[in-house]
Amino acid sequence: MKKLQNSLYVTRQESYLHKERETIVIKQGKDKLAQFPAHAVANIFCFGQISVSPFLMGYCGEQGIGLVFFTEYGKFLARIQGRQSGNVLLRREQYRVSDKDALCLDIARSIVLAKIANSRRVLQREVRNKGAHPALDEAIARLANCLRRCERPDSLDVLRGLEGEAAAIYFGVFNQLLKQDGFEFKGRVRRPPTDPVNALLSFLYTLVTQEISSALQGVGLDPYVGYLHVDRPGRVGLALDILEEFRAWWCDRLALTLINRKEVKTSDFDIEASGAVRLKEDARRKVLVAYQEKKQEEISHPFLNEKVQVGLLPHCQALILARHLRGDLQHYPPFSVR
Amino acid sequence: MLVLITYDVSVITSEGQRRLRHIAKVCVDYGMRVQNSVFECEVDPAQFTFLKQKLLDIYHPDEDSLRFYFLGKKGRQKVEHYGAKPTPDIFRDSLII
């Protein structure tokens, strides 16, 4: 299995990144803040006013290091992409499958099943730890019903409808999982998020999406052509497809942990005049530390039967999907926790 | 695998000083400086071959010495640090600047 490389997050405003021999150097004015060997870094995430030297950009492209720019508040701006790696035949196969509804449906169905099962697990976990709760029990039962109806969907649209229904059920009871005063969840709001919980969720989703995009590119797949998500200019459809498997288990649970352990507080968020709610700089650091720790956790991969770090899961799924597209696996086994 | 690299370079001549700077630069490309003339490099066997060859090309066998300690895959667990300037574990610690 591939070695889990680290991610470098640059949040210090007005810092400058450049390449020195085989290392990445971060400077602010004339002060050298840090220097790391490039072989330890798989992704560089820049938040806000960060400049990067053209040489480092070129080097990242060459080495396959993901270089991603966000606004200070974590809204995605751009990513630098190097040469496409991998086999062009694989990519052709990816496009061919995306044109055939039946094949699309097969992959999309696996993903939606995993998504619903994983969100259901999050609710079941709460019931197991905190005892029975009528609203949660009902939601769990309704999600089970959705799962059954997902077994044989007639078309992609039916499947998308089921996915939406399951998301509505899950997010309908999500507020019950929050255990800190001041945090209230009334439903998923994005672009921009207008309450702290949504702001935190959006931030985590964006991070994981970028990691998945890098992983897909790493195995030679095109992150922009998805199966469950319709093609739209600038939308990383395939990355968003894979994200569905991870949303509840990875992002939502991390958000819940941070809120319920009072590691983030309502004072960690700024409300802008437009009503948009954003994480403050210090809080963003805290979230990133927790996110990095999560990525180090080892779990046993349900399909590969191998111990992997959470941070490698996007790579594992990309690899498995590539195998499926090549025809080595009859169905795509999505990431679904036991 | 984790490799600990230590070196002694004779710096009496300006040529020796040049070698010292040069060796340090090569080590910085592959690992973190944990103390003066002591580097921890987490590299795969291919990278190590490169690194070693580069160092052997620079050093002067009659005056300098190089030592490689192979701490293996779980080498991190065999290291304890006390006192000033702890260096981050670049593969596992959160790198947030």
Side-chain angles (χ1 to χ4, degrees):
Chain A
M1 187 40 69
K2 188 177 142 136
K3 190 172 168 68
L4 176 61
Q5 289 167 303
N6 217 332
S7 299
L8 172 63
Y9 302 92
V10 188
T11 60
R12 181 86 65 99
Q13 295 305 294
E14 282 165 35
S15 47
Y16 175 66
L17 275 71
H18 69 101
K19 168 181 180 275
E20 192 178 301
R21 296 171 60 99
E22 303 292 308
T23 62
I24 297 161
V25 180
I26 301 120
K27 270 189 182 162
Q28 195 175 35
K30 288 206 168 105
D31 306 333
K32 199 187 249 188
L33 298 176
Q35 180 172 21
F36 303 109
H39 77 270
V41 178
N43 281 301
I44 305 175
F45 296 110
C46 304
F47 294 89
Q49 288 187 50
I50 316 288
S51 22
V52 178
S53 85
F55 282 110
L56 180 58
M57 286 188 196
Y59 182 74
C60 286
E62 190 190 2
Q63 299 290 319
I65 298 172
L67 177 58
V68 194
F69 295 92
F70 301 92
T71 64
E72 218 184 316
Y73 301 108
K75 186 175 154 236
F76 171 76
L77 291 176
R79 56 181 294 129
I80 303 273
Q81 186 184 337
R83 246 177 307 116
Q84 267 283 11
S85 65
N87 195 327
V88 65
L89 298 176
L90 172 66
R91 234 154 19 243
R92 269 183 192 272
E93 198 51 48
Q94 181 192 348
Y95 303 144
R96 226 172 271 141
V97 168
S98 79
D99 285 335
K100 289 185 193 131
D101 275 355
L103 297 176
C104 254
L105 184 60
D106 188 47
I107 297 177
R109 191 188 58 126
S110 299
I111 290 171
V112 171
L113 277 172
K115 175 184 180 172
I116 301 177
N118 288 345
S119 27
R120 189 164 164 260
R121 287 269 182 274
V122 171
L123 302 183
Q124 282 177 323
R125 191 185 156 91
E126 176 73 11
V127 169
R128 201 167 59 232
N129 292 345
K130 301 280 156 58
H133 185 293
L136 289 181
D137 288 338
E138 195 204 327
I140 291 169
R142 287 175 65 196
L143 286 175
N145 180 18
C146 284
L147 276 176
R148 265 193 301 280
R149 281 152 60 206
C150 269
E151 297 275 326
R152 276 185 224 299
D154 304 324
S155 69
L156 273 169
D157 284 334
V158 172
L159 185 71
R160 290 188 186 114
L162 278 167
E163 186 211 349
E165 189 185 328
I169 297 170
Y170 171 70
F171 280 125
V173 292
F174 196 72
N175 195 32
Q176 316 281 342
L177 310 181
L178 296 167
K179 300 283 176 329
Q180 192 188 149
D181 292 341
F183 282 91
E184 203 184 339
F185 184 83
K186 294 201 187 81
R188 188 78 186 104
V189 186
R190 53 209 190 104
R191 283 189 224 157
T194 52
D195 62 273
V197 183
N198 274 303
L200 187 55
L201 289 177
S202 288
F203 183 65
L204 291 169
Y205 292 154
T206 320
L207 286 178
V208 178
T209 308
Q210 290 312 314
E211 307 233 14
I212 298 171
S213 293
S214 295
L216 289 169
Q217 251 155 34
V219 300
L221 289 168
D222 182 347
Y224 287 89
V225 179
Y227 300 118
L228 178 63
H229 288 82
V230 186
D231 290 353
R232 202 182 279 170
R235 179 158 86 169
V236 278
L238 190 59
L240 291 171
D241 284 1
I242 308 271
L243 174 69
E244 299 298 346
E245 303 167 27
F246 295 128
R247 278 185 200 267
W249 178 83
W250 187 344
C251 307
D252 298 356
R253 264 183 54 194
L254 182 58
L256 286 172
T257 310
L258 285 167
I259 292 170
N260 292 346
R261 288 198 187 145
K262 301 197 169 61
E263 283 170 38
V264 292
K265 303 202 170 68
T266 41
S267 58
D268 283 332
F269 296 85
D270 272 333
I271 303 176
E272 287 174 11
S274 62
V277 174
R278 314 282 191 196
L279 269 168
K280 286 183 186 165
E281 180 165 352
D282 288 346
R284 209 159 49 239
R285 279 165 169 268
K286 270 191 287 188
V287 173
L288 286 173
V289 170
Y291 175 73
Q292 273 303 111
E293 280 168 7
K294 177 85 191 168
K295 275 169 61 181
Q296 292 294 335
E297 268 175 34
E298 267 197 354
I299 62 153
S300 148
H301 192 283
F303 178 74
L304 297 173
N305 268 331
E306 212 177 314
K307 277 209 158 181
V308 292
Q309 287 116 325
V310 169
L312 271 182
L313 288 174
H315 174 73
C316 295
Q317 289 314 115
L319 213 61
I320 295 172
L321 182 61
R323 273 192 221 162
H324 167 63
L325 292 173
R326 283 200 178 101
D328 298 343
L329 284 171
Q330 206 192 348
H331 296 288
Y332 166 66
F335 176 78
S336 149
V337 278
R338 279 182 208 130
Chain B
M1 60 179 176
L2 185 65
V3 183
L4 186 76
I5 300 175
T6 63
Y7 52 78
D8 244 349
V9 178
S10 156
V11 287
I12 311 163
T13 59
S14 68
E15 182 57 22
Q17 285 166 9
R18 195 190 68 88
R19 285 201 306 275
L20 179 70
R21 281 197 304 273
H22 214 137
I23 286 180
K25 271 189 180 169
V26 171
C27 290
V28 166
D29 280 350
Y30 290 90
M32 295 299 278
R33 181 175 233 141
V34 285
Q35 283 173 344
N36 296 331
S37 316
V38 181
F39 282 84
E40 280 175 11
C41 301
E42 204 165 325
V43 285
D44 60 35
Q47 287 166 333
F48 179 71
T49 318
F50 271 114
L51 168 61
K52 185 171 146 187
Q53 195 52 49
K54 281 186 191 168
L55 293 176
L56 293 181
D57 288 345
I58 301 166
Y59 95 126
H60 197 295
D62 299 335
E63 296 169 45
D64 314 332
S65 68
L66 282 169
R67 285 179 83 87
F68 301 104
Y69 298 82
F70 302 95
L71 300 178
K73 240 183 181 171
K74 296 198 167 153
R76 287 278 157 213
Q77 296 161 9
K78 297 176 189 163
V79 181
E80 290 180 19
H81 180 98
Y82 301 96
K85 285 195 256 171
T87 28
D89 173 351
I90 48 167
F91 275 93
R92 277 154 287 266
D93 287 352
S94 311
L95 306 180
I96 302 174
I97 310 290

